Amino acid sequence: MTRKQKRLSVIAGGLAFLGAATGLTFYALGQKASYFYMPADLTTTSVQPGQRIRLGGLVEKGTIQRGQGATVAFSVTDTHKSVKVTYTGILPDLFREQQGVITEGTFGPDGVFVADSVLAKHDERYMPKEVADGLKAKGVWQESKSE
Amino acid sequence: MVETGHFALVLAFALSLVQTIVPLFGARLNNQRLMAVGGPVAITGFALTALSFAALASAYANSDFSVASVWENSHSLQPLIYKITGTWGNHEGSMLLWVLILTFFGALVAAFGSNLPATLRANVLAVQGVIGAAFFLFILATSNPFVRLNPAPIEGRDLNPILQDLGLAIHPPLLYLGYVGFSICFSFSVAALIEGRIDASWARWVRPWTLVAWMFLTGGIAMGSYWAYYELGWGGFWFWDPVENASFMPWLAGTALLHSAIVMEKRSALKIWTLLLAILTFSLSLLGTFLVRSGVLTSVHAFATDPTRGVFILCILTLFIGGSLALFALRASRLTAGGLFHPISREGALVLNNLFLTTATATVLVGTLYPLALEALTGGKISVGAPFFDLTFGPLMLPLLVLVPFGPLLAWKRGDVFAASQRLMAAFASALAAMLVTGLFIDGASVFAALGIGLAVWLVAGALTDLAVKSGAGSVAPAVMFRRFAGLPRSVFGTALAHFGLGLTLLGIVATLSFGTEKILTMRAGETVELSGHTLRFVGLYPAQGPNYSEDRGRFELIGVSGSPVGEISSAKRFYPVRQTTTTESGIKTLGLSQLYVSLGDEGKDGSVVVRLWWKPLVTLIWGGGLVMMAGAAMSLMDRRLRVGTPSRRRKQASVVTPAGLP
Amino acid sequence: MLFWVIAAILTLGASLAVLLPLAGSSKGTLSSGDHDLEVYRDQLSELDRDAARGLIQPAEAAEARAEIARRILRLHDVDTAGKTSARQGSVIARMVATAAVLAVPLVSWGLYSQIGSPDLPSLPLSERLAKNPADSSVDELVARAEAHLTANPSDGRGWDVLAPVYLRMQRFSDAVAAYRNAIRLGGDSAVRRAGLGEAIAGAAGGIVSADAQDAFEAALKLDPANAKASFYLAMALAQEGRNKEAAKAWRAMLGTLPPDSPWRGAVDQALAKSGNPEIASGAAAKGPDAVDVDAASSMSPQDREAMINTMVASLDQKLRQNPRDPEGWMRLVRSYVVLGKADQAREALNRAIAVFGAGSDEAKKFTAFAASLGLMATE
């Protein structure tokens, strides 16, 4: 190989590498990013059982049931619709009735959302940003409502 | 005292303006006097910032609630250590710490830069000055820590309980030393672009600064990871949280910079690339500051969300990243390219390293910014978490880690892969053995686990091989070998240590992910549970009172083989009344290199408690490896080559140095 | 004043940092080429060391040496081309220097005068707490007590003093903790238990919870005459909707309370609210809530009397508008007796009898009740 050919092959190799990395990144974004939904969104979009999503909303009052061991069942609501969720594990310290949560997991075949993580990260108003935005968009929650 | 600090801060801002303008004109006009202003001004500016910071810290330590930021983030009952660390446990104070470190590094350049060409030194200080001026203005305009309250409240609103931990004393200062350390590399690059030439001393200066910044950033990230691990009570050490990524991106780019700076120093090659990388690394540091400080992301790090702050930082970001890249586009063609090399050589290996690391940085960048961009453009909300990074970052790191041991064994200019492979036979054999042992003898080991352990051993053994080969093992007598080993340049040890540490971290990650076990159960006092061969007895829940919290402490006894307790673990639920916040204090018992991790959950009505237990084998290696990497960087810094002397002194020394002269 | 001196010194120092280098002598420095040359020399000597140690092969060393030599040669080309005249632009230089020296005091004093608060002294908490108690605000006194108790957490008496203060400041959760500490360290007492109960109830927004109830019951066990405990236990009944039982309990209290007890007014009000909803809803007068009563107990005697007088007057007014309220009349009569106003008590009794008719059952009851208080109808 001449020097020029060598250089060309090095450049081609580098470009192929970058192309592969870019392709992989976009493939992963399409496959592995989990979308955020509120319960009412689920009537308009179809989510397959087994597809990973994040479900946010308020913990509906009076729905927290502690089952066997560390399994907890509760409903997540955006006041229009609510979705049943089960979770096995330790709930975050900030998990309370009528406060915002984000759960991540998949729908089981029976329509119950099986969460493998429950987040109650919060700003000053005990509301995850996504949930607050979602509730605002639905006209359920206004800034002024909280002190 | 408080107002003295405030005044000192304003004065430091005024000096940063002088530091920006005067040396820049001096360098342009080749006026010695104007250029000479940079040094004393940088040092005085640092002294004033330090005074300002000391004033704020003393207001925190003495619970001076006439200072708004103290009132919002402190409480008189906090232990003194948390009062002091609370100084930077909030947005305003942490930004003051940021500029304190920035001016500190500027002062170091001023104090020890007398051996730099005068114009380069002046330009570097000017660029440091303009970064400082921008951030001083940001602090004074949007985040002034010295805003006063009159009349002063008698009690503060307490520091966020999650931050009331020793981690706050260590993690942010280390991280900022890293972030801001890269500002020096940035300033050197921009100064070179302004001058239109890269001096030979340029690389000699940029490399140690990269090492310093990289060392602290490594420590900061490792410490942050350990802090999240024990404080958040989820037992995870890395969450691919955008805020974590914000610190990880400069680390990856900085690691690339560290390696390309070697090529530049040794071979005068890759000059333009190194310069660009230095700019990008600091830009990523700034981006990290923006993501964390603007309130774009919600996390424990977003102390307060104020849109004007976000817009201000975005302006700073645009100014510095846009400005430096535009300058690069204009001037890069004037810089001369360096030496040539064969693709298979030490340089080639380092280029490959850079290719992988920068691509990996790009994937992390995409994964971090894509959700933000998508939300801004379409309003759709997605989260990009571990599954995305496993699929993109993982495959990029894998070949890089395989290649790491080859790099140091290849010669400059033209290397011999075959010879290097031969030398690595022993390392390869031990990696293979580790893989087989893992796969065949450990129950439940997956292919991933076996490969991962093998790769980690490959890295560790490869680092040792490097040292052995360079000492002449196998070809010279043991006595000669020992003498050679002792005489190896420190930077060789540094490289080996850093690669060794990388292997340890990987070993910790793979072992914890593959062989870690977990149990969630409800326990009553007196019950026992077994996890991976360890028996724990739940003694009971005991209420206790802390200085500014009350807690229910769950005590556990570790039962030995004989049936008697051999140790105790306790985990607690703490309630901080001022903020009405509950936190979980995890209980951790370190056994060898592994840890038993206990986290308390909700209390049931019948006196039972939800308990989550983890067995985390070799988990301490994850952060231990980080410490070893830091030690490697420190070792490299001690290399005599990096102690660049002044021309006059060097001339005398050069005549003394004989071939036999040891350091 | 001290602050301005310090500020002036700092400004002077900062200005000198700019001024001194400008005034200093302009010594000739080495060109950048000299610096580069030193680096290359160092690289050469390093190469020699590596070669001597056997780290690189002689052939490679020779090649590397040649390369460094080429760099040094190239350096000379650049160096001869890059000599420029330094005399240019001395006017600009002087202007920049002047502007820089002036900028330091102007920018700093100008900006600080806009955003600073030079008149506000530092206020470290320890200093604020150490000053003369007479000059301190209530908040500061409380903070001082808190600081003392942080240092001496086993001072039971301190908790005992602080607890009711918290209660009055409506810092209920602090009051709960303080009462618990007082009980733990200073021993059980009816007053502490009752205070604890009130604090728990206060923290729950006035609802007498089971915890509060336990505390009140414990207080009554220690001192059956504890008015606060009896009052709140009756309140608990009322909150459960057992108004009759509550009223009965309150009425029983009225029988046993000493005449000067501040609780009488509270009990009267509570009875007015619970026993006769039509009166309570119809009347505008508002009874003292628990905090008022507690405040009454800490008032000066004059203030307290004034408060009670107001309360009695409002009851009197109510009965004029709504006369058919036997309980109310009896309370009014008793109130006047307690206040030592026998004439008004007698007048009230007569009015009451007039309302229901002299021969009615109520009238007989009133007469008997008045007799028990040592009061006769019209003489």
Side-chain angles (χ1 to χ4, degrees), chain C residues 176-318:
Chain C
V176 170
Y179 272 118
R180 290 230 162 99
N181 285 331
I183 290 167
R184 184 167 50 86
L185 299 162
D188 234 349
S189 86
V191 175
R192 288 174 194 148
R193 280 287 171 196
L196 176 63
E198 187 177 4
I200 295 172
I207 303 293
V208 182
S209 60
D211 280 352
Q213 220 165 342
D214 289 348
F216 290 127
E217 272 157 14
L220 277 189
K221 218 171 270 173
L222 293 161
D223 173 16
N226 186 295
K228 191 185 270 183
S230 315
F231 178 81
Y232 274 102
L233 283 174
M235 180 81 92
L237 292 172
Q239 284 170 356
E240 284 170 34
R242 292 151 70 184
N243 283 331
K244 286 228 173 76
E245 288 165 68
K248 202 172 127 200
W250 273 319
R251 244 169 267 135
M253 270 183 82
L254 289 179
T256 55
L257 277 179
D260 60 345
S261 166
W263 285 95
R264 284 187 172 277
V267 172
D268 287 341
Q269 289 298 318
L271 273 172
K273 273 186 200 165
S274 70
N276 297 289
E278 73 278 12
I279 293 178
S281 58
K286 195 176 153 286
D289 55 21
V291 178
D292 285 340
V293 173
D294 215 76
S297 66
S298 66
M299 283 175 177
S300 66
Q302 292 91 344
D303 287 349
R304 191 184 310 153
E305 205 179 303
M307 181 173 155
I308 293 169
N309 278 334
T310 323
M311 284 172 1
V312 174
S314 79
L315 181 61
D316 198 331
Q317 197 60 40
K318 224 186 300 177

Side-chain angles (χ1 to χ4, degrees), chain B residues 28-214:
Chain B
R28 188 117 200 105
L29 303 169
N30 203 9
N31 181 314
Q32 297 295 339
R33 283 182 181 154
L34 289 187
M35 285 195 276
V37 168
V41 165
I43 291 168
T44 316
F46 163 63
L48 287 169
T49 315
L51 178 65
S52 179
F53 188 80
L56 187 66
S58 122
Y60 268 92
N62 295 318
S63 300
D64 185 342
F65 297 122
S66 70
V67 180
S69 114
V70 179
W71 170 67
E72 276 175 25
N73 302 291
S74 194
H75 191 278
S76 65
L77 294 181
Q78 267 168 231
L80 183 63
I81 171 82
Y82 299 150
K83 283 186 185 175
I84 295 172
T85 58
T87 310
W88 55 85
N90 59 85
H91 171 77
E92 292 85 358
S94 70
M95 288 319 296
L96 190 58
L97 179 67
W98 207 97
V99 289
L100 176 69
I101 294 171
L102 183 79
T103 52
F104 171 64
F105 284 144
L108 282 185
V109 174
F112 299 105
S114 53
N115 54 349
L116 282 172
T119 52
L120 178 63
R121 178 166 172 254
N123 281 326
V124 168
L125 287 176
V127 180
Q128 281 283 304
V130 72
I131 301 172
F135 276 91
F136 277 122
L137 193 62
F138 171 65
I139 291 176
L140 290 172
T142 70
S143 334
N144 194 333
F146 292 105
V147 171
R148 304 293 297 273
L149 294 173
N150 190 20
I154 196 71
E155 191 48 272
R157 303 207 306 198
D158 210 357
L159 180 64
N160 184 347
I162 288 179
L163 301 179
Q164 294 192 25
D165 187 272
L166 261 185
L168 183 64
I170 309 167
H171 165 65
L174 279 182
L175 201 64
Y176 282 9
L177 281 166
Y179 271 0
V180 180
F182 285 122
S183 75
I184 299 286
C185 309
F186 174 85
S187 298
F188 267 88
S189 300
V190 174
L193 288 172
I194 292 173
E195 293 203 355
R197 62 187 294 266
I198 300 180
D199 298 290
S201 47
W202 193 92
R204 292 226 149 181
W205 266 82
V206 167
R207 204 168 99 77
W209 278 110
T210 311
L211 270 172
V212 169
W214 184 87

Side-chain angles (χ1 to χ4, degrees), chain B residues 279-629:
Chain B
I279 289 177
L280 288 179
T281 304
F282 183 61
S283 299
L284 288 169
S285 297
L286 281 179
L287 181 73
T289 310
F290 166 71
L291 287 178
V292 175
R293 286 279 155 267
S294 63
V296 169
L297 309 167
T298 43
S299 77
V300 277
H301 296 79
F303 298 120
T305 50
D306 178 350
T308 57
R309 285 176 184 163
V311 171
F312 204 117
I313 301 190
L314 194 60
C315 289
I316 295 181
L317 201 68
T318 318
L319 176 75
F320 286 110
I321 301 180
S324 57
L325 289 181
L327 193 65
F328 180 81
L330 280 174
R331 293 291 181 90
S333 56
R334 285 177 58 173
L335 304 170
T336 47
L340 298 167
F341 52 84
H342 196 262
I344 295 169
S345 61
R346 182 90 66 89
E347 295 95 319
L350 291 168
V351 168
L352 210 56
N353 151 305
N354 270 226
L355 186 64
F356 278 111
L357 281 174
T358 45
T359 314
T361 312
T363 59
V364 178
L365 185 70
V366 170
T368 310
L369 293 187
Y370 182 71
L372 294 176
L374 190 74
E375 190 181 344
L377 296 175
T378 68
K381 290 187 172 74
I382 64 164
S383 94
V384 172
F388 168 82
F389 294 101
D390 289 346
L391 191 60
T392 54
F393 185 77
L396 278 169
M397 279 296 113
L398 220 57
L400 177 63
L401 294 177
V402 170
L403 293 178
V404 162
F406 286 97
L409 289 174
L410 290 172
W412 292 104
K413 279 187 99 169
R414 186 181 292 269
D416 186 346
V417 181
F418 183 67
S421 310
Q422 270 183 328
R423 287 166 170 175
L424 282 167
M425 277 315 284
F428 186 71
S430 41
L432 202 62
M435 225 181 312
L436 289 175
V437 168
T438 311
L440 298 179
F441 295 104
I442 298 183
D443 290 340
S446 58
V447 179
F448 160 78
L451 285 176
I453 299 280
L455 188 56
V457 171
W458 166 243
L459 280 171
V460 168
L464 297 175
T465 307
D466 179 31
L467 286 180
V469 166
K470 290 201 170 130
S471 316
S475 60
V476 292
V480 180
M481 187 187 111
F482 182 74
R483 204 152 11 98
R484 274 204 195 171
F485 178 79
L488 283 178
R490 298 271 167 84
S491 58
V492 171
F493 283 113
T495 305
L497 266 179
H499 291 171
F500 187 81
L502 184 65
L504 292 185
T505 298
L506 184 67
L507 189 62
I509 293 174
V510 173
T512 306
L513 292 183
S514 321
F515 305 116
T517 49
E518 179 184 351
K519 237 180 208 174
I520 306 169
L521 73 167
T522 49
M523 289 182 91
R524 262 175 272 272
E527 287 182 351
T528 56
V529 59
E530 214 202 90
L531 184 73
S532 294
H534 302 275
T535 310
L536 266 186
R537 197 168 74 86
F538 180 38
V539 182
L541 268 187
Y542 298 87
Q545 190 72 35
N548 52 344
Y549 58 84
S550 54
E551 64 176 12
D552 279 326
R553 185 159 282 279
R555 284 172 49 200
F556 298 82
E557 272 174 350
L558 188 60
I559 309 291
V561 191
S562 60
S564 56
V566 291
E568 192 174 289
I569 307 180
S570 73
S571 165
K573 280 262 173 214
R574 279 189 185 165
F575 178 69
Y576 290 78
V578 181
R579 291 231 173 180
Q580 293 285 310
T581 314
T582 313
T583 65
T584 307
E585 293 289 308
S586 51
I588 295 173
K589 179 95 189 163
T590 306
L591 302 163
L593 293 170
S594 312
Q595 287 186 332
L596 205 55
Y597 189 118
V598 181
S599 182
L600 224 52
D602 297 319
E603 200 180 337
K605 286 187 185 76
D606 53 351
S608 66
V609 174
V610 178
V611 178
R612 197 161 177 173
L613 300 164
W614 285 273
W615 168 244
K616 300 204 165 268
L618 303 186
V619 72
T620 53
L621 284 183
I622 297 175
W623 310 288
L627 288 180
V628 174
M629 285 188 238

